[in-house]
């Protein structure tokens, strides 16, 4: 008999005693994999253990794979065959691993030649402990008996592994809570992606670039006292640095205005204002006159302001803390007289607990390569804005990453949500292609203007625009129009309500950039996770609070400024205005009343405007789905916002790490809601489109085509991919696919069905 499973189970039981003789857990695990591989005549046996804190599987021992990968290969739950075995808590046996829908090639571990795969979860009760994976070069090598044997071993090993872990801790003389992991041990941090892209650079903690500003005002400059001997010289250097800083900021402001017109004005205004503020620079002058060096004076005054601002209870004042640190750094850098130093973030990856939207725009404008944010409280608009700014962002909750020394080399993979510390050459080589096309766009292929399915059905592909910069990418990628302009970003970033005139200019540039193609401008959607501090609203449950159309109807003076600006900007254009978070026909009618009033007012004032825009409602609440027949009769068009619809239908906040995994656009309730809205639109002859992130998902596109959706609005960078995909699909197949998906009552049936069709759910 080629495998002696009974003997194997017995000998694993014996292994439990071995660990006490071992000085490290790695050695014990190596004994286990060696013994199992031998008994099973398996080419490979590996053990992955689940790191609960980082929510990731880590390869801890292997016989057969590259031993260098131990400790370095990380799999997300649900990633690859091993990750899926742990996610689904069942053994997965594949005769041809490379053809398995679960399969994911892990580079550099040397598993290409192994066709058979058997992955068995190691668990205790509901606790996930890890996965044991066997591989063999011959296809279909493992049978059901093998799976059972390994399951039995895994359950025996589970208790042992738990004990081993505890014992190892005691042997090592410390407990879990005070365990210090040296920085050398951690090379890869697995987090979540917030914005795509790959970046390489040196780490910098936000606000303390290069040379740290001492935290205590009295720490001063250690290498020289406040002697005051060269007072005149110090004053001259200070004024020189002041004017260099001012001209740098002014040219930065001009440079970014062409790209980020709508959110860039005022981005450096508080820096410039502070520079000119007599109290700020005057205090520095006084410090120099009383004996400080120029550098000491800057540090002292900046720190004083940092303390003042950071202790304020007012969010708007707190927001200035970073501005003043930024400014302090720039002044100090300019004092050093190094002409090459721009005082920006070129070549750097920023590590920050949190950033304000205005800081995000500034970071991008100052050429940061990437950003790592502390996972937890990052709101949707930060992620949306980073994507528009083309800034790769990873969210990570592991505090150890934020403790790396400034200047540490980092590689940030914004696709997978991973950060590599001091990456090795092999890792760099893997990402070289992405790094070479760091503008994220790569070589351009010819992109068609219009799209048709294989069976010649016309599909309209439009773009979602968050800031003006996106409109340019939409143009380049031949969007047929704008399906969603999120007008709240100028409000959020500038931290103030722009005037009618300011808004008019922004909307007009967006409309003109589309050369007559349809432009759908959404009225401001602040509140919820898109917080605008100037609204002065603090709520215990903002998602169920004062947001979207509710905010606008309650604040008609703000709403009407925007409607007037929209109507004026839409003159001679195919203007569509869209209302967010509509929960009733009544709200739609009230908003329409304001729009008509504004048009009448403008006519009375003799101001040219578009008097006949289409007015649509977003369907992003279950209530709107339920009344979609009535909404479709009242509105000129409907647009489904799946980002919110999924959240409200399932009662899941996707930024909440405890329940984020339950946020599933493929939930049967969501699929049925989508069908329902499409059907309501068809019956009322009301156009229905979709503009949530689901509109860019391959399987979802097929489903949506199958239920009759023909207009999709997606992030402009996704257009080339989707335009390439549409001609390969047929409506006939899409209908069959959708019909089948709609028969399932359970999420796991849907996920298995999607997997079988090569889609990851
Ligand atoms: C949505 O909810 O799907 C949507 C498009 O709106 P936003 O993402 O701006 O909330
Ligand atoms: Mg929404």
């Amino acid at each position: 008999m080629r495998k002696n499973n009974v003997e194997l189970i017995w000998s694993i039981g014996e292994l439990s005693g071995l660990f006490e003789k071992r000085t490290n857990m790695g050695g014990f695990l190596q004994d286990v994999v060696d013994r199992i591989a031998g008994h099973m005549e398996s080419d490979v046996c590996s053990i992955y253990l689940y790191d609960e804190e980082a929510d990731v599987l880590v390869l801890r021992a292997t016989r057969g794979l590259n031993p260098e990968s131990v400790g370095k290969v990380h799999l997300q739950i649900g990633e690859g065959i091993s990750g899926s075995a742990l996610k689904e808590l069942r053994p997965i046996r594949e005769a041809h691993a490379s053809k398995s829908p679960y399969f994911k090639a892990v580079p550099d571990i040397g598993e290409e030649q192994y066709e058979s795969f058997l992955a068995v979860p190691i668990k205790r009760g509901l606790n996930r402990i890890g996965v044991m994976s066997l591989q063999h070069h011959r296809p279909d090598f493992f049978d059901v008996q093998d799976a059972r044997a390994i399951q039995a071993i895994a359950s025996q090993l589970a208790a042992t592994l738990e004990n081993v872990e505890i014992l190892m801790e005691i042997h090592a003389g410390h407990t879990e809570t005070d365990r210090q992991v040296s920085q050398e041990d951690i090379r890869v941090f697995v987090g979540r992606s917030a914005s795509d892209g790959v970046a390489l650079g040196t780490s910098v903690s936000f606000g303390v670039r290069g040379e740290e500003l001492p935290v205590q005002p009295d720490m001063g400059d250690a290498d020289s006292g406040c002697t005051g001997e060269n007072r005149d010289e110090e004053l001259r250097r200070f004024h020189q640095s002041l004017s260099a800083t001012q001209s740098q900021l002014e040219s930065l402001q001009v440079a970014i205005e062409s790209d980020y017109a709508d959110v860039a004005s005022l981005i450096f205004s508080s820096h410039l204002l502070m520079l000119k503020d007599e109290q700020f620079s005057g205090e520095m002058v006084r410090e120099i006159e009383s004996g400080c060096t120029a550098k000491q004076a800057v540090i002292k005054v900046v720190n004083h302001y940092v303390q003042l601002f950071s202790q304020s209870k007012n969010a708007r004042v707190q927001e200035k803390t970073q501005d003043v640190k930024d400014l302090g750094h720039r002044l100090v850098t300019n004092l050093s007289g190094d002409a090459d130093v721009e005082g920006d973030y070129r070549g750097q990856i920023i590590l920050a607990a949190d950033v304000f939207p205005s800081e995000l725009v500034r970071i991008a404008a100052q050429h940061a390569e990437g950003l790592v944010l502390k996972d937890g409280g990052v709101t949707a608009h930060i992620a949306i804005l980073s994507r528009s700014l083309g800034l790769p962002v990873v969210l990570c909750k592991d505090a150890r990453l934020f403790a790396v020394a400034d200047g540490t080399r980092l590689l940030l993979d914004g696709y997978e949500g991973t950060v590599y510390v001091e990456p090795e050459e092999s890792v760099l080589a893997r990402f070289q292609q992405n790094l070479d096309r760091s503008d994220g766009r790569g070589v351009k292929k010819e992109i068609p203007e219009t799209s048709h399915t294989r069976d010649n059905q016309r599909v309209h592909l439009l773009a979602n625009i968050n800031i003006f910069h996106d409109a340019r990418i939409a143009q380049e990628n031949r969007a047929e129009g704008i399906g969603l302009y999120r007008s709240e970003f100028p409000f959020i970033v500038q931290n103030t309500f722009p005037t009618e005139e300011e808004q008019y200019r922004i909307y007009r540039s967006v409309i003109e950039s589309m050369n007559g193609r349809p432009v759908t401008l959404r009225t401001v959607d602040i509140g919820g996770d898109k917080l605008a501090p100037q609204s002065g609203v603090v709520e215990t449950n903002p998602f169920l609070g004062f947001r979207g159309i509710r905010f606008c109807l309650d604040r008609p003076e703000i709403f009407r400024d925007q409607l007037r600006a929209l109507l004026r900007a839409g003159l001679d254009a195919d203007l569509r205005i869209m209302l967010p978070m509509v929960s009733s026909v009544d709200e739609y009618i009230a908003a329409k009343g304001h729009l008509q009033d504004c048009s009448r007012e403008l006519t009375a004032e003799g101001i040219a405007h578009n008097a006949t825009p289409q007015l649509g409602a977003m369907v992003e609440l279950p209530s709107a789905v339920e009344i979609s027949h009535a909404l479709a009769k009242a509105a000129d068009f409907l647009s489904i916002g799946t980002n919110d619809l999924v959240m409200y239908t399932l009662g899941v906040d996707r930024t909440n790490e405890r329940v984020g995994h339950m946020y599933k656009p493929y939930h049967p309730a969501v699929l049925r809601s989508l069908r329902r809205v499409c059907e309501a639109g068809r019956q009322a002859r009301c156009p229905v489109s979709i503009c949530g992130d689901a509109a860019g998902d391959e399987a979802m596109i097929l489903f949506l085509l199958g239920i009759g959706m023909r207009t999709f609005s997606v992030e402009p960078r996704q257009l080339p991919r989707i335009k390439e995909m549409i001609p390969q699909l047929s409506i006939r197949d899409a209908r069959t696919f959708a019909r089948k998906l709609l028969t399932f009552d359970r999420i796991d049936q849907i996920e298995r069905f999607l997997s079988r069709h090569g889609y990851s759910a």
Side-chain angles (χ1 to χ4, degrees), residues 567 573-577 595 599 609-615 636:
L567 291 174
D574 184 350
L575 173 67
R576 297 154 192 211
I577 297 175
L595 188 69
S599 179
H609 66 283
N610 184 332
T612 53
Q614 292 186 36
L615 183 67
D636 297 326

Side-chain angles (χ1 to χ4, degrees), residues 307-372:
Q307 273 188 353
L308 279 182
F309 290 167
S310 60
Q311 283 163 5
S312 169
K313 294 211 163 46
N314 182 335
R316 294 184 65 180
V317 176
Q318 267 183 29
E319 189 168 346
K320 299 287 168 246
T321 310
Q322 192 56 45
D323 291 357
V324 74
K325 281 188 193 172
D326 219 44
L327 187 58
H329 177 78
R330 200 175 270 279
L331 281 167
V332 169
T333 308
N334 283 324
L335 272 171
S336 76
D338 187 344
D340 291 341
V341 180
E342 289 286 326
D344 67 17
Y345 295 106
R346 244 170 270 253
Q348 296 184 316
I349 291 177
I350 295 173
L351 303 172
D354 196 5
V355 289
F356 292 107
S358 54
E359 289 165 352
L360 199 64
V361 176
R362 223 170 30 240
I363 289 167
Q366 295 184 109
H367 309 288
E369 309 293 336
L371 175 66
V372 185

Side-chain angles (χ1 to χ4, degrees), residues 38-71:
H39 279 286
M40 298 293 287
E41 298 175 13
S42 170
D43 294 333
V44 177
C45 177
S46 310
I47 290 182
Y48 292 83
L49 290 185
Y50 178 49
D51 177 340
E52 200 168 0
E53 211 190 338
D55 193 24
V56 74
L57 271 175
V58 184
L59 179 65
R60 288 297 179 199
T62 184
R63 149 99 171 252
L65 297 182
N66 179 0
E68 300 269 319
S69 344
V70 171

Side-chain angles (χ1 to χ4, degrees), residues 203-271:
S203 66
V204 57
S205 305
F206 196 25
V208 205
R209 285 177 288 149
E211 187 175 11
E212 186 167 345
L213 296 174
V215 180
Q216 297 301 320
D218 59 356
M219 279 171 70
D221 191 356
D223 54 29
S224 59
C226 295
T227 59
E229 276 168 19
N230 294 320
R231 198 167 304 167
D232 291 343
E233 172 60 9
E234 289 299 304
L235 277 173
R236 190 195 60 75
R237 288 179 62 230
F238 172 69
H239 285 294
Q240 208 172 38
S241 149
L242 209 60
S243 59
T245 302
Q246 183 166 339
S247 59
Q248 278 168 5
L249 290 172
E250 281 165 354
S251 40
L252 244 177
Q253 180 77 50
V254 171
I256 67 169
E257 262 171 26
S258 66
D259 254 6
Y260 306 119
D262 48 352
V263 286
S265 60
L266 306 180
I267 270 301
F268 289 103
S269 66
S270 53
H271 291 61

Side-chain angles (χ1 to χ4, degrees), residues 93-106:
R93 196 163 52 88
E94 296 289 356
H96 298 274
S98 56
K99 293 190 190 129
S100 158
Y102 296 111
F103 180 75
K104 177 177 179 235
V106 180

Side-chain angles (χ1 to χ4, degrees), residues 380 384 387 464 466 484 486 488-489 522 525 529-530 547 578 580-581 618-620 639-646 648 654 663 690-694 713:
I384 292 172
R387 294 203 285 268
N464 290 351
N466 306 315
L484 164 66
R486 292 182 166 101
E488 54 274 11
F489 280 100
R522 180 174 76 182
D525 183 17
D529 58 353
K530 305 192 196 83
R547 66 170 295 196
M578 182 156 89
M581 295 294 295
M618 285 192 76
V619 178
E620 37 188 2
S639 181
I640 308 178
T642 42
N643 302 344
D644 279 313
L645 183 61
V646 174
Y648 289 114
R654 76 162 127 180
Y663 182 97
I690 178 162
C691 63
D693 288 350
S713 190

Side-chain angles (χ1 to χ4, degrees), residues 171-200:
H171 290 329
H174 49 229
T175 60
E176 182 67 27
T177 44
D178 68 7
R179 184 173 50 169
Q180 290 291 315
V181 180
S182 75
Q183 289 303 333
E184 286 77 40
D185 288 338
I186 311 155
R187 306 297 295 270
V188 187
F189 288 87
V190 179
R192 291 193 295 138
S193 163
S195 173
D196 285 353
V198 171
L200 181 65

